[in-house]
């Protein structure tokens, strides 16, 4: 335990390297602190090392973002940060939350708060999970293994990506008691998709998350400028050894180009249902029309998602789409969302507008870059604590009391 009574593994602090001369931390896009660090100051760290700055408090998710931007390579940072084209949709995912105001209730006895909820019948500690993002080993050497252990420790849901740098078997072994879903693409060669579905079902993954907004990959300008490729020591481990006959062919994001199937349609949802008994969740729905079709095709959940603004630029922010989709499905399936979640206030707004749970993508990567498993746990802990505080200040004692009466839309 540290001086504030917080377990050391969840302490929001880090130690600055001796070579760093200045750090500017941007929280809510405003500089709130500048830390000067010089060897000649002879500052002692908690371990007694000379020339190392005292611990720097990590207060909000923006602090982790700034740390990751400074410590990851430019090509890696650009890959994670990329949006499609002008990045309008990526940026609007964040800005949209600022157009929403809260209507707090008072004198409600919020001395006890319960943040627990459930997804597909499984209880989790609070309504924030980890979205599927690729190539975690670019941010931390243990990659998805660290992410899986962090989500298991916090008791929430982790959606493992097809494009993981650790295999589904390795992820399951790293966090054997964790609650995991698997994110799936459909490929021109359907056997690839079929084989991995069989593997994850046998390993105890609890749902299939079918990503449907990538018939083609969006244009991410910095990836093109950087000629982004995985370094030679990293692979898309789920497909290791499966593309040997295509060795030497052009690659895109770690696998041969043109592997994804642009002919994917609703009939493929039926094919997937014939293949597995796992619940199917559709990720990438933004309209009520597609939400209604998803319900008609018997899926168990919808993730309102625009792929972090990395696919179609000029589309709507996910939080703006959420009420329409919740109204369309009328409780027949669970609705989740991702995109733009940076604070506990954001989580509260999404739940109030009808999301059962939200998922974070880039912030998990920032946590990895900061301190691996411990960093991801700190990201989740900060969001949990902020969400619980926002609940209490809004007069909500448990998740069931959060509803649209809390919400007021404001024009900026």
């Amino acid at each position: 335990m540290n001086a504030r009574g917080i377990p050391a593994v969840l302490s929001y602090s880090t130690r600055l390297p001796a070579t760093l001369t200045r750090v500017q931390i941007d929280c809510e896009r405003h500089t709130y602190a500048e830390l000067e660090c010089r060897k000649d100051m002879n500052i002692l760290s908690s371990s007694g090392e000379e020339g190392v700055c005292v611990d720097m408090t990590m207060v909000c998710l923006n602090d982790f973002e700034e740390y990751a931007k400074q410590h990851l390579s430019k090509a890696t940072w650009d890959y994670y940060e990329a949006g499609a084209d002008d990045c309008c949709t990526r940026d609007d995912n964040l800005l949209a939350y600022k157009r929403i105001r809260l209507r707090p209730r008072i004198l409600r006895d919020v001395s006890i708060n319960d943040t627990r909820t459930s997804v597909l019948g499984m209880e989790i500690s609070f309504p924030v999970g980890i979205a599927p993002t690729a190539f975690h080993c670019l941010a931390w050497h243990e990659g998805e293994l660290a992410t899986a252990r962090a989500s298991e420790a916090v008791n929430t849901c982790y959606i493992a990506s097809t494009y993981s740098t650790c295999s589904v078997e390795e992820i399951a072994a790293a966090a054997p008691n964790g609650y995991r879903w698997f994110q799936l693409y459909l490929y021109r060669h359907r056997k690839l998709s079929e084989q991995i579905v069989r593997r994850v079902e046998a390993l105890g993954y609890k749902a299939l998350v079918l990503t449907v907004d990538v018939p083609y990959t969006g244009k991410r300008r910095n990836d093109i400028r950087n000629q982004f490729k995985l370094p030679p020591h990293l692979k898309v481990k789920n497909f290791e050894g499966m593309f040997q006959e295509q060795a030497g062919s052009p690659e895109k994001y770690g696998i041969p180009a043109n592997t994804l199937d642009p002919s994917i349609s609703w009939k493929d949802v039926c094919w997937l249902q014939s293949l597995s008994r796992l619940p199917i969740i559709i990720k990438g729905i933004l309209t009520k029309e597609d939400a209604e079709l998803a319900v008609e095709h018997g899926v168990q959940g919808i993730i309102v998602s625009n792929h972090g603004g990395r696919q179609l630029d000029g589309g709507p922010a996910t939080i703006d789409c959420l009420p329409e989709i919740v109204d369309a499905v009328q409780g027949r399936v669970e609705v989740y969302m991702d995109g733009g979640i940076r604070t506990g206030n954001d989580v509260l707004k999404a739940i109030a507008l009808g999301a059962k749970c939200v998922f974070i993508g880039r912030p998990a990567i920032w946590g990895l870059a900061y301190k691996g498993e411990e960093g991801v746990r700190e990201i989740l802990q900060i969001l949990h604590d902020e969400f619980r505080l926002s609940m209490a200040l809004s007069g909500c004692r448990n998740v069931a009391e959060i509803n649209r009466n809390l919400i007021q839309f404001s024009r900026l």
Side-chain angles (χ1 to χ4, degrees):
M1 305 286 283
N2 65 16
R4 292 180 292 166
I6 299 173
V9 72
L10 296 179
S11 177
Y12 312 148
S13 63
T14 187
R15 191 171 298 131
L16 297 174
T19 55
L20 191 62
T21 58
R22 179 171 174 162
V23 178
Q24 289 185 319
I25 304 170
D26 183 37
C27 188
E28 301 288 344
R29 304 299 178 191
H30 297 283
T31 300
Y32 68 80
E34 293 183 358
L35 302 179
E36 295 296 332
C37 224
R38 298 183 179 90
K39 289 183 180 180
D40 58 4
M41 291 174 68
N42 196 31
I43 296 174
L44 294 180
S45 73
S46 57
S47 61
E49 298 170 322
E50 273 192 34
V52 181
C53 265
V54 294
D55 284 355
M56 181 181 73
T57 302
M58 305 295 273
V59 175
C60 61
L61 268 59
N62 297 64
D63 295 347
F64 292 83
E65 179 183 15
E66 186 65 22
Y67 181 95
K69 184 176 183 179
Q70 291 182 13
H71 288 80
L72 295 173
S73 72
K74 181 182 184 303
T76 296
W77 171 258
D78 285 349
Y79 167 74
Y80 288 134
E81 192 63 11
D85 299 315
D86 290 322
C87 301
C88 295
T89 298
R90 179 201 67 182
D91 295 344
D92 200 39
N93 273 349
L94 280 75
L95 292 172
Y97 284 94
K98 300 185 185 303
R99 298 191 286 266
I100 302 172
R101 296 290 182 264
L102 294 168
R103 302 176 62 249
R105 299 295 305 276
I106 60 171
L107 300 176
R108 304 268 290 188
D109 184 5
V110 290
S111 56
I112 298 176
N113 293 96
D114 187 353
T115 63
R116 291 174 298 172
T117 189
S118 65
V119 288
L120 296 183
M122 177 66 70
E123 183 180 286
I124 56 177
S125 59
F126 74 126
V128 177
I130 297 179
T133 50
F135 310 148
H136 288 196
C137 283
L138 286 175
W140 184 260
H141 64 281
E142 290 185 302
E144 291 83 5
L145 308 185
T147 309
R149 288 195 294 262
S151 62
E152 179 186 58
V154 178
N155 186 29
T156 193
C157 180
Y158 168 39
I159 308 176
S161 170
T162 288
Y163 283 79
S164 294
T165 39
C166 301
S167 70
V168 290
E169 289 82 6
E170 291 168 333
I171 293 168
N177 298 314
Y179 183 52
R180 293 178 303 277
W181 299 348
F182 179 74
Q183 176 270 328
L184 177 71
Y185 291 104
L186 293 188
Y187 298 96
R188 294 175 188 267
H189 186 40
R190 284 291 190 271
K191 277 291 181 185
L192 289 174
S193 301
E194 181 177 344
Q195 287 171 5
I196 199 161
V197 167
R198 304 283 190 204
R199 287 162 62 189
V200 300
E201 189 164 15
L203 288 163
Y205 288 70
K206 299 303 183 184
L208 298 174
V209 177
L210 178 63
T211 296
V212 295
D213 57 0
V214 192
Y216 302 95
T217 304
K219 184 177 181 180
R220 303 161 195 171
R221 296 173 183 173
N222 281 339
D223 285 352
I224 298 170
R225 294 186 181 108
N226 296 332
Q227 298 182 325
F228 176 83
K229 286 185 178 180
L230 280 179
H233 70 284
L234 295 181
K235 306 291 181 189
V236 180
K237 289 291 288 292
N238 288 319
F239 295 133
E240 197 167 25
M242 291 188 183
F243 295 110
Q244 292 177 346
E245 70 281 1
Q246 295 172 261
S249 62
E251 284 193 2
K252 194 163 190 177
Y253 298 114
I255 65 173
N258 300 315
T259 303
L260 291 171
D261 189 354
S263 75
I264 183 173
S265 68
W266 288 106
K267 71 178 187 298
D268 293 303
V269 174
C270 300
W271 172 77
L272 198 56
Q273 289 166 331
S274 72
L275 195 64
S276 172
R277 296 182 179 180
L278 291 176
I280 294 173
I281 297 160
I282 302 293
K283 177 180 180 289
I285 287 180
L286 295 170
T287 65
K288 65 180 182 181
E289 293 87 354
D290 284 334
E292 289 165 353
L293 283 169
V295 174
E296 289 174 15
H297 282 81
V299 305
Q300 282 72 42
I302 289 169
I303 300 180
V304 180
S305 174
N306 56 30
H307 218 98
R310 294 163 72 84
Q311 283 298 105
L312 176 66
D313 199 26
T318 51
I319 191 69
D320 289 340
C321 300
L322 180 62
E324 169 184 324
I325 291 170
V326 169
D327 290 345
V329 305
Q330 297 181 341
R332 291 172 289 175
V333 300
E334 293 186 349
V335 178
Y336 320 109
M337 66 153 287
D338 64 21
I341 297 289
R342 297 294 182 269
T343 68
N345 253 348
D346 296 341
V347 179
L348 181 65
K349 292 171 182 178
I351 303 306
L353 288 171
K356 184 72 170 173
C357 180
V358 302
F359 291 89
I360 56 169
R362 292 182 180 96
I365 297 297
W366 307 334
L368 279 176
Y370 170 62
K371 211 182 288 186
E373 175 189 347
E374 184 177 343
V376 179
R377 288 175 67 167
E378 290 190 31
I379 288 280
L380 292 168
Q381 188 67 49
I382 287 174
L383 280 176
H384 175 272
D385 293 346
E386 290 180 349
F387 174 61
R388 183 170 57 186
L389 179 60
S390 294
M391 280 178 58
L393 295 178
S394 297
C396 298
R397 291 160 291 200
N398 54 61
V399 173
E401 292 185 347
I402 303 171
N403 58 53
R404 286 194 193 178
N405 291 330
L406 278 178
I407 295 299
Q408 174 181 308
F409 288 92
S410 174
R411 293 189 178 186
L412 296 180

